[in-house]
């Protein structure tokens, strides 16, 4: 994806996350999933610090909302690793602990 398209996608994904928070709530699994997509987009744009912040929130949301091992959890963790911060128990509460 070229940078122009990624910037366009970022704007749309921010809107999706905002509306998802308003309609479903900030802790809803679909809000977390949308936040994962936003984080991946930010990584493509080279904005890794901002991407990590979004992806940590996404990972934590889907961890709380879904069963351990769910594909969305794995996806959020992979996206976070790609953004330069692998899964960690130090930056969030782990479900089941």
């Amino acid at each position: 994806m070229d940078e122009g398209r990624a910037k366009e996608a970022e704007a749309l994904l921010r809107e999706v996350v905002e509306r998802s928070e308003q309609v479903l709530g900030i802790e809803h699994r679909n809000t977390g999933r949308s936040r994962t997509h936003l984080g991946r987009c930010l990584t493509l744009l080279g904005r890794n610090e901002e991407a990590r912040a979004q992806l940590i929130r996404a990972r934590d949301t889907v961890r709380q909302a879904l069963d351990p091992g769910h594909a969305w959890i794995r996806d959020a963790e992979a996206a976070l690793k790609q953004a330069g911060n692998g899964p960690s128990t130090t930056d969030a509460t782990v479900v089941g602990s």
Side-chain angles (χ1 to χ4, degrees):
M1 177 183 300
D2 66 48
E3 187 173 345
R5 298 286 291 173
K7 286 181 178 180
E8 183 181 337
E10 177 196 358
L12 294 171
L13 288 165
R14 286 191 185 280
E15 186 175 332
V16 169
V17 169
E18 182 180 328
R19 290 187 184 197
S20 183
E21 288 177 343
Q22 292 170 354
V23 174
L24 301 172
I26 61 172
E27 299 300 322
H28 194 277
R29 63 185 180 192
N30 290 347
T31 303
R33 184 65 170 163
S34 296
R35 197 175 295 284
T36 298
H37 294 308
L38 174 59
R40 283 190 178 280
C41 182
L42 292 168
T43 299
L44 285 173
L45 289 168
R47 292 164 43 199
N48 289 4
E49 188 172 322
E50 188 178 355
R52 283 191 299 269
Q54 292 293 333
L55 291 164
I56 288 168
R57 287 183 67 189
R59 180 203 57 198
D60 293 349
T61 298
V62 294
R63 276 185 177 173
Q64 290 175 5
L66 300 166
D67 292 331
H70 191 283
W72 288 6
I73 297 170
R74 292 192 310 269
D75 185 49
E77 289 172 344
L80 185 54
K81 187 173 183 179
Q82 185 178 21
N85 183 19
S88 170
T89 58
T90 60
D91 55 18
T93 303
V94 176
V95 174
S97 61

